[in-house]
């Protein structure tokens, strides 16, 4: 079960990196637009980190 949790979160973090940081670094919009997008991406990373910790804890409890 842990391997599945790891795989799902690796996939999600990869997608957020590709579709989130790509527009922040490559966008031709204003600096404000890039900063807002960067903050949103950072919040998504924090949510994924929290979910990852909870998911690993859940997988450990389920294993026992």
């Amino acid at each position: 079960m842990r391997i599945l949790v790891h795989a799902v979160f690796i996939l999600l973090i990869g997608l957020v990196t590709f579709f989130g940081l790509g527009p922040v670094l490559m966008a031709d919009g204003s600096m404000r637009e890039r900063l807002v997008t960067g903050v949103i991406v950072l919040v998504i990373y924090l949510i994924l980190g929290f979910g990852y910790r909870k998911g690993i804890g859940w997988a450990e409890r389920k294993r026992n």
Side-chain angles (χ1 to χ4, degrees):
M1 185 57 83
R2 278 180 57 134
I3 293 173
L4 182 63
V5 172
H6 287 301
V8 166
F9 278 97
I10 287 171
L11 177 68
L12 289 174
I13 290 172
L15 288 172
V16 170
T17 301
F18 183 73
F19 291 111
L21 288 182
V24 170
L25 297 174
M26 308 287 185
D28 58 351
S30 67
M31 183 59 81
R32 181 178 177 173
E33 181 181 344
R34 284 191 241 168
L35 285 175
V36 169
T37 305
V39 168
I40 292 170
V41 169
L42 182 63
V43 168
I44 292 172
Y45 276 129
L46 291 172
I47 291 169
L48 283 175
F50 179 74
Y52 178 68
R53 288 187 57 167
K54 290 292 184 178
I56 291 296
W58 173 79
E60 285 295 321
R61 283 191 307 273
K62 187 169 176 131
R63 189 172 111 181
N64 294 332

